[in-house]
Amino acid sequence: MSHMSCLPPEIFLYILKWVVGENLDIYSLEKTAKVCRGFYLCSRDPELWHLICLRTWDMNIDNPNKYGSWRNMFIQRPHLNFNGVYISKTTYVRYGESSFQDTHYKPCFLVAYYRYLRFFPDGTVLMLTTPDDPYQSIYKLRHKTAKDPNVHSGRFKLVGNTVVAAVKKSKSEFVAQPTNFYNRYRRQRQANLPEIQDQTYHLELEVKNYKKRINCQLAWMIYSSHVVYRNGQEAVTEFDILPSTFPSFWFSRVKSYTAESESPLEKINTKLM
């Protein structure tokens, strides 16, 4: 049997394109480079890193001479990580009602919920807000076409170190719920409110580093909700960005996202404006 080092460099480079895959799994590429000197040299191929930079910034790609190489550009320029999910955990204290036996005592409840953001190289972003912890939620963001109605899909764009995203609320959440006493009571309270037809969330986040971790944090800058009612009216709500209510997102790698590669890293078709 022949050793793997007998393969032509062109074939092994094609194998590395499968390792990176369409989700830009740079972590696996760097792990491959630690195997031996031959793997290291192939993993530093300029053509491979040129494709990675093209998939990351598309038409906003910079001149590699400014950084020394395509790999240095990828390391030094702010970018998003696609082989995992960004997680933000919010906690607050909610006070209950006093019991009839002791009117001076109010129970306290510590409420926690999570926000998840998953980015894809083609500009797709998924957002999920749920009280479930990451072990129960990350599988819902594995594919672009999420089956869970609570997962919102949208588009994003990276401008410098700022991520601009627009996420649309799922249509299934506007469908009428089964009739019961609670729903009838809620509809009576909201009888004077117009019915919502469309709702979109607009986000602006800043990509930050933390110590030796590069591009691991997303800090809130702007967050607003745009609602369109069936009667044609529109309403825009801008939220106050406070550290207590909108903590930063932290990146967490998810192995299952890149366990299998559906297609190799290929050059995208770019059109000159």
Side-chain angles (χ1 to χ4, degrees), residues 183-206:
N183 288 330
R184 288 200 304 267
Y185 175 73
R186 185 174 59 179
R187 284 198 295 269
Q188 290 175 1
R189 293 184 56 186
Q190 299 179 350
N192 297 327
L193 297 178
E195 188 177 358
I196 297 177
Q197 180 181 3
D198 192 19
Q199 186 171 4
T200 306
Y201 299 100
H202 292 258
L203 304 83
E204 288 192 18
L205 305 164
E206 182 182 3

PDB file of all heavy atoms in Angstrom, residues 183-206:
ATOM      1  N   ASN A 183     -57.106  31.639  25.502  1.00  0.00           N
ATOM      2  CA  ASN A 183     -56.982  32.324  24.216  1.00  0.00           C
ATOM      3  C   ASN A 183     -58.152  33.272  23.972  1.00  0.00           C
ATOM      4  O   ASN A 183     -57.980  34.347  23.399  1.00  0.00           O
ATOM      5  CB  ASN A 183     -56.891  31.299  23.081  1.00  0.00           C
ATOM      6  CG  ASN A 183     -55.558  30.575  23.081  1.00  0.00           C
ATOM      7  OD1 ASN A 183     -54.556  31.143  23.504  1.00  0.00           O
ATOM      8  ND2 ASN A 183     -55.560  29.326  22.632  1.00  0.00           N
ATOM      9  N   ARG A 184     -59.354  32.876  24.399  1.00  0.00           N
ATOM     10  CA  ARG A 184     -60.502  33.776  24.243  1.00  0.00           C
ATOM     11  C   ARG A 184     -60.323  35.021  25.095  1.00  0.00           C
ATOM     12  O   ARG A 184     -60.602  36.142  24.664  1.00  0.00           O
ATOM     13  CB  ARG A 184     -61.794  33.041  24.643  1.00  0.00           C
ATOM     14  CG  ARG A 184     -62.237  31.989  23.648  1.00  0.00           C
ATOM     15  CD  ARG A 184     -63.723  31.663  23.849  1.00  0.00           C
ATOM     16  NE  ARG A 184     -63.977  31.237  25.215  1.00  0.00           N
ATOM     17  CZ  ARG A 184     -63.970  29.967  25.608  1.00  0.00           C
ATOM     18  NH1 ARG A 184     -63.689  28.997  24.747  1.00  0.00           N
ATOM     19  NH2 ARG A 184     -64.237  29.651  26.861  1.00  0.00           N
ATOM     20  N   TYR A 185     -59.810  34.837  26.300  1.00  0.00           N
ATOM     21  CA  TYR A 185     -59.570  35.985  27.170  1.00  0.00           C
ATOM     22  C   TYR A 185     -58.493  36.907  26.594  1.00  0.00           C
ATOM     23  O   TYR A 185     -58.623  38.133  26.612  1.00  0.00           O
ATOM     24  CB  TYR A 185     -59.152  35.496  28.559  1.00  0.00           C
ATOM     25  CG  TYR A 185     -58.760  36.608  29.510  1.00  0.00           C
ATOM     26  CD1 TYR A 185     -59.727  37.449  30.069  1.00  0.00           C
ATOM     27  CD2 TYR A 185     -57.419  36.811  29.840  1.00  0.00           C
ATOM     28  CE1 TYR A 185     -59.364  38.465  30.946  1.00  0.00           C
ATOM     29  CE2 TYR A 185     -57.053  37.821  30.703  1.00  0.00           C
ATOM     30  CZ  TYR A 185     -58.029  38.641  31.264  1.00  0.00           C
ATOM     31  OH  TYR A 185     -57.664  39.645  32.120  1.00  0.00           O
ATOM     32  N   ARG A 186     -57.446  36.311  26.026  1.00  0.00           N
ATOM     33  CA  ARG A 186     -56.378  37.117  25.442  1.00  0.00           C
ATOM     34  C   ARG A 186     -56.861  37.858  24.206  1.00  0.00           C
ATOM     35  O   ARG A 186     -56.489  39.017  23.985  1.00  0.00           O
ATOM     36  CB  ARG A 186     -55.185  36.220  25.091  1.00  0.00           C
ATOM     37  CG  ARG A 186     -53.974  37.000  24.584  1.00  0.00           C
ATOM     38  CD  ARG A 186     -52.790  36.100  24.402  1.00  0.00           C
ATOM     39  NE  ARG A 186     -53.072  35.030  23.456  1.00  0.00           N
ATOM     40  CZ  ARG A 186     -52.173  34.112  23.114  1.00  0.00           C
ATOM     41  NH1 ARG A 186     -50.980  34.117  23.658  1.00  0.00           N
ATOM     42  NH2 ARG A 186     -52.504  33.167  22.236  1.00  0.00           N
ATOM     43  N   ARG A 187     -57.692  37.214  23.394  1.00  0.00           N
ATOM     44  CA  ARG A 187     -58.208  37.884  22.204  1.00  0.00           C
ATOM     45  C   ARG A 187     -59.142  39.034  22.581  1.00  0.00           C
ATOM     46  O   ARG A 187     -59.188  40.046  21.892  1.00  0.00           O
ATOM     47  CB  ARG A 187     -58.933  36.874  21.316  1.00  0.00           C
ATOM     48  CG  ARG A 187     -58.008  35.964  20.525  1.00  0.00           C
ATOM     49  CD  ARG A 187     -58.762  35.321  19.369  1.00  0.00           C
ATOM     50  NE  ARG A 187     -59.807  34.446  19.861  1.00  0.00           N
ATOM     51  CZ  ARG A 187     -59.640  33.153  20.095  1.00  0.00           C
ATOM     52  NH1 ARG A 187     -58.466  32.593  19.906  1.00  0.00           N
ATOM     53  NH2 ARG A 187     -60.642  32.410  20.526  1.00  0.00           N
ATOM     54  N   GLN A 188     -59.863  38.888  23.679  1.00  0.00           N
ATOM     55  CA  GLN A 188     -60.729  39.966  24.125  1.00  0.00           C
ATOM     56  C   GLN A 188     -59.908  41.178  24.563  1.00  0.00           C
ATOM     57  O   GLN A 188     -60.278  42.324  24.309  1.00  0.00           O
ATOM     58  CB  GLN A 188     -61.625  39.497  25.265  1.00  0.00           C
ATOM     59  CG  GLN A 188     -62.705  38.505  24.832  1.00  0.00           C
ATOM     60  CD  GLN A 188     -63.500  37.976  26.009  1.00  0.00           C
ATOM     61  OE1 GLN A 188     -63.259  38.372  27.141  1.00  0.00           O
ATOM     62  NE2 GLN A 188     -64.439  37.077  25.726  1.00  0.00           N
ATOM     63  N   ARG A 189     -58.771  40.928  25.200  1.00  0.00           N
ATOM     64  CA  ARG A 189     -57.923  42.037  25.629  1.00  0.00           C
ATOM     65  C   ARG A 189     -57.259  42.723  24.445  1.00  0.00           C
ATOM     66  O   ARG A 189     -56.986  43.924  24.479  1.00  0.00           O
ATOM     67  CB  ARG A 189     -56.838  41.521  26.586  1.00  0.00           C
ATOM     68  CG  ARG A 189     -57.393  41.019  27.928  1.00  0.00           C
ATOM     69  CD  ARG A 189     -56.260  40.620  28.839  1.00  0.00           C
ATOM     70  NE  ARG A 189     -55.326  41.740  29.031  1.00  0.00           N
ATOM     71  CZ  ARG A 189     -54.173  41.619  29.702  1.00  0.00           C
ATOM     72  NH1 ARG A 189     -53.797  40.462  30.185  1.00  0.00           N
ATOM     73  NH2 ARG A 189     -53.398  42.671  29.854  1.00  0.00           N
ATOM     74  N   GLN A 190     -56.966  41.952  23.398  1.00  0.00           N
ATOM     75  CA  GLN A 190     -56.278  42.506  22.229  1.00  0.00           C
ATOM     76  C   GLN A 190     -57.242  42.808  21.082  1.00  0.00           C
ATOM     77  O   GLN A 190     -56.835  42.941  19.940  1.00  0.00           O
ATOM     78  CB  GLN A 190     -55.206  41.526  21.756  1.00  0.00           C
ATOM     79  CG  GLN A 190     -54.134  41.248  22.795  1.00  0.00           C
ATOM     80  CD  GLN A 190     -53.104  40.247  22.301  1.00  0.00           C
ATOM     81  OE1 GLN A 190     -53.290  39.621  21.266  1.00  0.00           O
ATOM     82  NE2 GLN A 190     -52.025  40.110  23.038  1.00  0.00           N
ATOM     83  N   ALA A 191     -58.532  42.915  21.380  1.00  0.00           N
ATOM     84  CA  ALA A 191     -59.529  43.126  20.323  1.00  0.00           C
ATOM     85  C   ALA A 191     -59.329  44.452  19.619  1.00  0.00           C
ATOM     86  O   ALA A 191     -59.590  44.578  18.418  1.00  0.00           O
ATOM     87  CB  ALA A 191     -60.936  43.049  20.912  1.00  0.00           C
ATOM     88  N   ASN A 192     -58.846  45.453  20.339  1.00  0.00           N
ATOM     89  CA  ASN A 192     -58.666  46.780  19.757  1.00  0.00           C
ATOM     90  C   ASN A 192     -57.323  46.944  19.060  1.00  0.00           C
ATOM     91  O   ASN A 192     -57.056  48.005  18.485  1.00  0.00           O
ATOM     92  CB  ASN A 192     -58.810  47.852  20.846  1.00  0.00           C
ATOM     93  CG  ASN A 192     -60.200  47.859  21.446  1.00  0.00           C
ATOM     94  OD1 ASN A 192     -61.187  47.572  20.763  1.00  0.00           O
ATOM     95  ND2 ASN A 192     -60.285  48.180  22.730  1.00  0.00           N
ATOM     96  N   LEU A 193     -56.464  45.920  19.121  1.00  0.00           N
ATOM     97  CA  LEU A 193     -55.154  46.011  18.485  1.00  0.00           C
ATOM     98  C   LEU A 193     -55.221  45.438  17.083  1.00  0.00           C
ATOM     99  O   LEU A 193     -55.858  44.398  16.860  1.00  0.00           O
ATOM    100  CB  LEU A 193     -54.110  45.238  19.307  1.00  0.00           C
ATOM    101  CG  LEU A 193     -53.859  45.755  20.724  1.00  0.00           C
ATOM    102  CD1 LEU A 193     -52.844  44.849  21.426  1.00  0.00           C
ATOM    103  CD2 LEU A 193     -53.373  47.191  20.714  1.00  0.00           C
ATOM    104  N   PRO A 194     -54.586  46.066  16.098  1.00  0.00           N
ATOM    105  CA  PRO A 194     -54.589  45.530  14.733  1.00  0.00           C
ATOM    106  C   PRO A 194     -53.793  44.239  14.649  1.00  0.00           C
ATOM    107  O   PRO A 194     -52.842  44.025  15.404  1.00  0.00           O
ATOM    108  CB  PRO A 194     -53.952  46.650  13.910  1.00  0.00           C
ATOM    109  CG  PRO A 194     -53.134  47.426  14.885  1.00  0.00           C
ATOM    110  CD  PRO A 194     -53.864  47.345  16.198  1.00  0.00           C
ATOM    111  N   GLU A 195     -54.153  43.385  13.703  1.00  0.00           N
ATOM    112  CA  GLU A 195     -53.491  42.098  13.544  1.00  0.00           C
ATOM    113  C   GLU A 195     -52.154  42.273  12.826  1.00  0.00           C
ATOM    114  O   GLU A 195     -52.041  43.004  11.848  1.00  0.00           O
ATOM    115  CB  GLU A 195     -54.392  41.152  12.754  1.00  0.00           C
ATOM    116  CG  GLU A 195     -53.875  39.726  12.698  1.00  0.00           C
ATOM    117  CD  GLU A 195     -54.834  38.817  11.969  1.00  0.00           C
ATOM    118  OE1 GLU A 195     -55.912  39.313  11.548  1.00  0.00           O
ATOM    119  OE2 GLU A 195     -54.512  37.626  11.808  1.00  0.00           O
ATOM    120  N   ILE A 196     -51.140  41.575  13.323  1.00  0.00           N
ATOM    121  CA  ILE A 196     -49.797  41.690  12.765  1.00  0.00           C
ATOM    122  C   ILE A 196     -49.687  40.821  11.516  1.00  0.00           C
ATOM    123  O   ILE A 196     -50.072  39.649  11.520  1.00  0.00           O
ATOM    124  CB  ILE A 196     -48.744  41.270  13.798  1.00  0.00           C
ATOM    125  CG1 ILE A 196     -48.773  42.211  15.005  1.00  0.00           C
ATOM    126  CG2 ILE A 196     -47.355  41.255  13.176  1.00  0.00           C
ATOM    127  CD1 ILE A 196     -47.816  41.812  16.106  1.00  0.00           C
ATOM    128  N   GLN A 197     -49.145  41.406  10.466  1.00  0.00           N
ATOM    129  CA  GLN A 197     -48.929  40.668   9.221  1.00  0.00           C
ATOM    130  C   GLN A 197     -47.476  40.255   9.062  1.00  0.00           C
ATOM    131  O   GLN A 197     -47.184  39.165   8.583  1.00  0.00           O
ATOM    132  CB  GLN A 197     -49.358  41.513   8.021  1.00  0.00           C
ATOM    133  CG  GLN A 197     -49.151  40.809   6.679  1.00  0.00           C
ATOM    134  CD  GLN A 197     -49.569  41.675   5.510  1.00  0.00           C
ATOM    135  OE1 GLN A 197     -49.956  42.819   5.701  1.00  0.00           O
ATOM    136  NE2 GLN A 197     -49.520  41.134   4.309  1.00  0.00           N
ATOM    137  N   ASP A 198     -46.573  41.124   9.456  1.00  0.00           N
ATOM    138  CA  ASP A 198     -45.153  40.851   9.256  1.00  0.00           C
ATOM    139  C   ASP A 198     -44.363  41.545  10.357  1.00  0.00           C
ATOM    140  O   ASP A 198     -44.693  42.665  10.750  1.00  0.00           O
ATOM    141  CB  ASP A 198     -44.693  41.338   7.881  1.00  0.00           C
ATOM    142  CG  ASP A 198     -43.313  40.817   7.525  1.00  0.00           C
ATOM    143  OD1 ASP A 198     -42.881  39.830   8.138  1.00  0.00           O
ATOM    144  OD2 ASP A 198     -42.665  41.392   6.643  1.00  0.00           O
ATOM    145  N   GLN A 199     -43.300  40.877  10.839  1.00  0.00           N
ATOM    146  CA  GLN A 199     -42.452  41.452  11.871  1.00  0.00           C
ATOM    147  C   GLN A 199     -41.005  41.100  11.575  1.00  0.00           C
ATOM    148  O   GLN A 199     -40.672  39.938  11.348  1.00  0.00           O
ATOM    149  CB  GLN A 199     -42.845  40.954  13.266  1.00  0.00           C
ATOM    150  CG  GLN A 199     -42.073  41.634  14.388  1.00  0.00           C
ATOM    151  CD  GLN A 199     -42.619  41.289  15.760  1.00  0.00           C
ATOM    152  OE1 GLN A 199     -43.540  40.482  15.891  1.00  0.00           O
ATOM    153  NE2 GLN A 199     -42.077  41.893  16.794  1.00  0.00           N
ATOM    154  N   THR A 200     -40.150  42.124  11.570  1.00  0.00           N
ATOM    155  CA  THR A 200     -38.737  41.954  11.244  1.00  0.00           C
ATOM    156  C   THR A 200     -37.885  42.589  12.340  1.00  0.00           C
ATOM    157  O   THR A 200     -38.185  43.693  12.810  1.00  0.00           O
ATOM    158  CB  THR A 200     -38.395  42.594   9.892  1.00  0.00           C
ATOM    159  OG1 THR A 200     -39.269  42.075   8.891  1.00  0.00           O
ATOM    160  CG2 THR A 200     -36.963  42.295   9.501  1.00  0.00           C
ATOM    161  N   TYR A 201     -36.833  41.886  12.721  1.00  0.00           N
ATOM    162  CA  TYR A 201     -35.894  42.401  13.715  1.00  0.00           C
ATOM    163  C   TYR A 201     -34.623  42.857  13.005  1.00  0.00           C
ATOM    164  O   TYR A 201     -34.075  42.140  12.163  1.00  0.00           O
ATOM    165  CB  TYR A 201     -35.548  41.328  14.743  1.00  0.00           C
ATOM    166  CG  TYR A 201     -36.739  40.822  15.522  1.00  0.00           C
ATOM    167  CD1 TYR A 201     -37.358  39.617  15.183  1.00  0.00           C
ATOM    168  CD2 TYR A 201     -37.251  41.532  16.595  1.00  0.00           C
ATOM    169  CE1 TYR A 201     -38.445  39.143  15.890  1.00  0.00           C
ATOM    170  CE2 TYR A 201     -38.343  41.069  17.312  1.00  0.00           C
ATOM    171  CZ  TYR A 201     -38.929  39.876  16.958  1.00  0.00           C
ATOM    172  OH  TYR A 201     -40.015  39.411  17.664  1.00  0.00           O
ATOM    173  N   HIS A 202     -34.158  44.050  13.353  1.00  0.00           N
ATOM    174  CA  HIS A 202     -32.931  44.614  12.788  1.00  0.00           C
ATOM    175  C   HIS A 202     -31.864  44.660  13.886  1.00  0.00           C
ATOM    176  O   HIS A 202     -32.105  45.223  14.956  1.00  0.00           O
ATOM    177  CB  HIS A 202     -33.180  46.006  12.216  1.00  0.00           C
ATOM    178  CG  HIS A 202     -34.071  46.001  11.001  1.00  0.00           C
ATOM    179  ND1 HIS A 202     -33.584  46.131   9.720  1.00  0.00           N
ATOM    180  CD2 HIS A 202     -35.416  45.864  10.880  1.00  0.00           C
ATOM    181  CE1 HIS A 202     -34.584  46.087   8.857  1.00  0.00           C
ATOM    182  NE2 HIS A 202     -35.714  45.920   9.544  1.00  0.00           N
ATOM    183  N   LEU A 203     -30.703  44.085  13.572  1.00  0.00           N
ATOM    184  CA  LEU A 203     -29.628  43.997  14.541  1.00  0.00           C
ATOM    185  C   LEU A 203     -28.351  44.590  13.970  1.00  0.00           C
ATOM    186  O   LEU A 203     -28.069  44.440  12.784  1.00  0.00           O
ATOM    187  CB  LEU A 203     -29.355  42.542  14.955  1.00  0.00           C
ATOM    188  CG  LEU A 203     -30.473  41.686  15.526  1.00  0.00           C
ATOM    189  CD1 LEU A 203     -31.333  41.071  14.436  1.00  0.00           C
ATOM    190  CD2 LEU A 203     -29.887  40.580  16.383  1.00  0.00           C
ATOM    191  N   GLU A 204     -27.594  45.236  14.840  1.00  0.00           N
ATOM    192  CA  GLU A 204     -26.234  45.663  14.528  1.00  0.00           C
ATOM    193  C   GLU A 204     -25.350  45.248  15.691  1.00  0.00           C
ATOM    194  O   GLU A 204     -25.592  45.631  16.840  1.00  0.00           O
ATOM    195  CB  GLU A 204     -26.156  47.178  14.293  1.00  0.00           C
ATOM    196  CG  GLU A 204     -26.775  47.625  12.985  1.00  0.00           C
ATOM    197  CD  GLU A 204     -26.445  49.065  12.641  1.00  0.00           C
ATOM    198  OE1 GLU A 204     -25.470  49.601  13.231  1.00  0.00           O
ATOM    199  OE2 GLU A 204     -27.145  49.648  11.793  1.00  0.00           O
ATOM    200  N   LEU A 205     -24.327  44.451  15.373  1.00  0.00           N
ATOM    201  CA  LEU A 205     -23.448  43.886  16.385  1.00  0.00           C
ATOM    202  C   LEU A 205     -22.001  44.175  16.024  1.00  0.00           C
ATOM    203  O   LEU A 205     -21.642  44.202  14.840  1.00  0.00           O
ATOM    204  CB  LEU A 205     -23.661  42.376  16.502  1.00  0.00           C
ATOM    205  CG  LEU A 205     -25.099  41.909  16.775  1.00  0.00           C
ATOM    206  CD1 LEU A 205     -25.227  40.425  16.478  1.00  0.00           C
ATOM    207  CD2 LEU A 205     -25.489  42.191  18.208  1.00  0.00           C
ATOM    208  N   GLU A 206     -21.179  44.381  17.034  1.00  0.00           N
ATOM    209  CA  GLU A 206     -19.759  44.659  16.821  1.00  0.00           C
ATOM    210  C   GLU A 206     -18.936  43.415  17.126  1.00  0.00           C
ATOM    211  O   GLU A 206     -19.090  42.796  18.185  1.00  0.00           O
ATOM    212  CB  GLU A 206     -19.296  45.812  17.712  1.00  0.00           C
ATOM    213  CG  GLU A 206     -17.847  46.198  17.508  1.00  0.00           C
ATOM    214  CD  GLU A 206     -17.387  47.309  18.439  1.00  0.00           C
ATOM    215  OE1 GLU A 206     -18.204  47.738  19.286  1.00  0.00           O
ATOM    216  OE2 GLU A 206     -16.218  47.728  18.334  1.00  0.00           O
TER     217      GLU A 206
END
